[in-house]
Amino acid sequence: MKVSIPGGFALLLLGAGGVHAQQASRLQVGAPVPATLAADATLRYALDLPKDHFVAGRVDQDGVDATVTITDPAGKNVVKAARVGRGGPETFAFATDAAGRYLIEVTPATAGKGGALRVQLTRSEPVATTPAGKVDQAAAQLYEDTPGAVVGVINGGKLTFVKGYGAADLTWAMPFTAGTPTNIGSSSKQFTGFAIALLASRGKLSMNDDVRKHIPELKDFGKTITVRNLLTHTTGYREFINTLLIEGRQVLQGDYIAPDEVIKVINRQPTLQNEPGAEFNYNNSAFALATILVERVTGRPFAEWMRDEVFLPLGMTKTWVRAHPGQIIPRRSAGYVAGEGGFREVQDLHGSMGAGGIYTTPGDVAKWMGNLKTGKLGGPAVIKELTTSFVLNDGKPTNYGYGVSLDTNRGLRRWQHGGNDVAHSSTFVYYPDLDAGYVVFSNYQGVPGGIARVAADAFFGQHMTAPETATTGAAVDVPAATLERYVGKYEMTTLGGMLMTVEMEDGQLRLQLPGQPALPLRPTSMIDFEVVGAPARITFNAAADGAVDTITFHQDGEHSGKRVVETAAAVDLTDYTGRYYSEELETFYDMRVEDGQLVIRHRRFGPAVLTHTSGDSFSGTLPVNLVVFRRDAQGKVIGFDAGNGRARDIAFKKVSG
């Protein structure tokens, strides 16, 4: 049975368990079709489509956790959606590269578990050709009953395009709009950097001041750590949020972090992680200290001073520093994560002020971008300070100013930053040579990661070189044999030894980060992939013979990783069992062998499996990504050093076992 859909193309139901033929007549754009997915069945729907056609839809998982796969006429995967879990909608969207039959397949995400669902096509139309239309299609998977996003395009300090998609608050069915204040996470750092530079320009402090001049209770490590080191991630301090995770705090589940805990974490640190100015190590501790510094210098609360001295003078009336997750921000977006039964609302991160915590709108950011050009507030010298790369002790530039990443994108100079809280995420991009840019703010990190890329290409592609492929969502065709070469485990040498796993499922690569769900990798070239659902990219560095021994992970800078070659050499895991104690964190860990694997436990989390990488080194999942055991002169294990990238070399001593 065929049913016509917009554009005159045919949709038909193929034979499948759990769906009867008469249901095909109801499967059309705008009409959800109830169905029952049997535990061992596959629902298959076919779309006969022309080239350059766009389709979007959703599968509402009323009683089953389902996986949605779209294949093209050649049988290659175009989309695989399996991110939300039972109870929420699995959404999909794709554009056709060729005319022919495209299959929509719905299968149980868990073998042997079926249930009720509804299948719906929401859009079927030609691929958009206008910038606004391209962004609309990139955001087509955001619905009124899903978390959402807002996209703003700015030119000359004015909004030239802005549109909200999805919901800002699911409880009250409040839509995302141009005026919805949204948590921009670490994109807030540029405002903190500007505040310090502004105070320096007014003679209230010097960038070369020892931080302890303003915060004397900070521990003296015998090295001068300057105010400039704070704003450039070059202090050598432990990252306090990551440190508290290792301590056992359930930070991502809403555990309270007091504003002064950053000082306590640093003061318990026995030594610096690196010489000040010697290493760029992305670090929220320093920006949290910067807020304390502002308060000491001005005698006023940071949030109040920022509003009176930065936001209101620029006309940013819908921008706030949220000093505490309980602070009310009128008509703000709530944050969401995927959970059993659908989406779950979560609190913002405690203790994030300065490093994050700013709520704003695209309209207010347009005014901020205008000041980046004019320097009306602060003057050109302050803007230059903010956007000049720090140079490490060895003479290498970090390509990072005071809370601003500095790079070149497709031939255009770019000042940019990404941000993530527990749920919210943001992309901030400004092209100084164009006096233009764009932002994408969302309240769910599962929002399609390609929206920002599409916005950049659609509105600024004419100014760029070497345009990227797949801007409308169609995948680059990377041969399966090439994808197989990328599969493996990679130890991130600049992220504290964190282990990243690249796996392949049903012909698609997925990236598994410690403690996080696997996210699909979408190719943008033969070696470059974007992480779907996160503001990150990964590049596979292929040698002349095609072997891939290293990768580059692009998020808040460029991070190198090397392939882990797992050997068959036997390791006596019982050497590592026992109880360990960290004097610095005042916390215990237990190591046990369970089912042939080394397992780490804490009283507030666990068990978590540790994977042997080499020697006495093991990788794991958050909160402990790296464990390196220490032995005495007789070869007996006496302790280990733990780390998770931004906090590292935290010593634990074996106390029993």
Side-chain angles (χ1 to χ4, degrees), residues 290-361:
T291 67
I292 298 173
L293 192 154
V294 170
E295 293 179 342
R296 300 286 175 88
V297 169
T298 67
R300 300 174 63 192
F302 177 75
E304 177 185 299
W305 187 89
M306 288 292 293
R307 186 156 179 82
D308 290 344
E309 299 293 330
V310 178
F311 302 146
L312 293 183
L314 291 175
M316 299 171 66
T317 59
K318 292 186 176 180
T319 301
W320 295 265
V321 173
R322 198 179 195 199
H324 186 282
Q327 178 183 339
I328 294 173
I329 305 294
R331 299 190 65 79
R332 68 175 178 88
S333 66
Y336 297 93
V337 297
E340 186 65 24
F343 298 109
R344 179 169 61 89
E345 185 174 340
V346 294
Q347 268 195 338
D348 290 345
L349 194 64
H350 284 265
S352 65
M353 185 172 64
I358 284 180
Y359 275 73
T360 190
T361 66

Side-chain angles (χ1 to χ4, degrees), residues 319-638:
T319 301
W320 295 265
V321 173
R322 198 179 195 199
H324 186 282
Q327 178 183 339
I328 294 173
I329 305 294
R331 299 190 65 79
R332 68 175 178 88
S333 66
Y336 297 93
V337 297
E340 186 65 24
F343 298 109
R344 179 169 61 89
E345 185 174 340
V346 294
Q347 268 195 338
D348 290 345
L349 194 64
H350 284 265
S352 65
M353 185 172 64
I358 284 180
Y359 275 73
T360 190
T361 66
D364 273 15
V365 172
K367 298 169 184 176
W368 169 254
M369 284 189 181
N371 195 61
L372 291 178
K373 176 68 174 180
T374 67
K376 179 180 178 181
L377 178 63
V382 167
I383 303 302
K384 185 176 181 179
E385 277 273 309
L386 185 75
T387 59
T388 297
S389 173
F390 182 81
V391 178
L392 296 174
N393 297 346
D394 62 5
K396 295 179 181 177
T398 61
N399 297 322
Y400 195 93
Y402 300 164
V404 183
S405 290
L406 313 164
D407 62 7
T408 300
N409 175 235
R410 295 174 54 193
L412 283 179
R413 284 195 305 143
R414 179 173 64 175
W415 301 346
Q416 55 95 13
H417 213 288
N420 291 286
D421 200 273
V422 178
H424 290 86
S425 67
S426 69
T427 298
F428 170 98
V429 172
Y430 177 70
Y431 302 109
D433 296 329
L434 301 178
D435 185 24
Y438 67 92
V439 294
V440 180
F441 302 154
S442 69
N443 59 347
Y444 172 55
Q445 292 187 18
V447 161
I451 294 177
R453 175 175 50 79
V454 170
D457 184 79
F459 285 93
F460 303 107
Q462 70 271 28
H463 303 290
M464 298 176 173
T465 59
E468 297 178 9
T469 57
T471 57
T472 59
V476 173
D477 186 12
V478 181
T482 301
L483 295 177
E484 288 285 359
R485 288 202 296 269
Y486 300 155
V487 171
K489 296 179 179 179
Y490 298 86
E491 184 180 1
M492 304 309 296
T493 55
T494 59
L495 290 174
M498 179 175 67
L499 200 69
M500 293 186 177
T501 301
V502 176
E503 58 192 20
M504 189 155 76
E505 181 177 310
D506 296 332
Q508 182 180 40
L509 292 183
R510 303 182 344 149
L511 178 64
Q512 176 74 63
L513 299 179
Q516 301 182 35
L519 294 175
L521 292 176
R522 179 184 294 131
T524 57
S525 76
M526 296 297 286
I527 62 171
D528 297 299
F529 292 73
E530 66 176 10
V531 183
V532 178
R537 296 180 296 110
I538 188 169
T539 300
F540 295 93
N541 306 312
D545 62 358
V548 179
D549 295 322
T550 64
I551 62 172
T552 304
F553 184 67
H554 309 270
Q555 186 178 48
D556 297 324
E558 295 187 350
H559 307 283
S560 299
K562 59 183 179 180
R563 182 184 289 274
V564 174
V565 180
E566 299 183 83
T567 66
V571 177
D572 187 356
L573 298 180
T574 60
D575 281 355
Y576 308 113
T577 59
R579 168 159 273 209
Y580 297 79
Y581 178 74
S582 169
E583 184 175 346
E584 177 183 346
L585 302 187
E586 298 179 341
T587 196
F588 290 92
Y589 277 102
D590 292 301
M591 299 284 183
R592 303 175 186 173
V593 177
E594 300 179 12
D595 298 325
Q597 296 177 308
L598 186 63
V599 171
I600 185 172
R601 293 177 183 268
H602 184 276
R603 67 182 180 85
R604 296 200 69 192
F605 75 87
V609 173
L610 294 177
T611 301
H612 180 250
T613 54
S614 64
D616 287 322
S617 298
F618 289 75
S619 66
T621 58
L622 275 177
V624 182
N625 294 344
L626 178 67
V627 172
V628 180
F629 288 94
R630 299 188 308 274
R631 296 178 184 266
D632 61 16
Q634 289 72 45
K636 182 179 179 181
V637 173
I638 58 172

Side-chain angles (χ1 to χ4, degrees), residues 181-196:
T182 306
N183 184 343
I184 62 172
S186 286
S187 294
S188 306
K189 286 182 170 67
Q190 61 195 294
F191 295 96
T192 305
F194 179 82
I196 298 290

Side-chain angles (χ1 to χ4, degrees), residues 108-149:
T110 303
K113 293 186 177 180
L117 51 76
R118 285 166 290 149
V119 183
Q120 181 183 12
L121 291 182
T122 56
R123 298 178 76 159
S124 177
E125 62 201 33
V127 167
T129 57
T130 66
K134 291 177 180 180
V135 171
D136 277 350
Q137 290 184 346
Q141 296 179 70
L142 306 180
Y143 297 93
E144 63 181 10
D145 60 348
T146 71

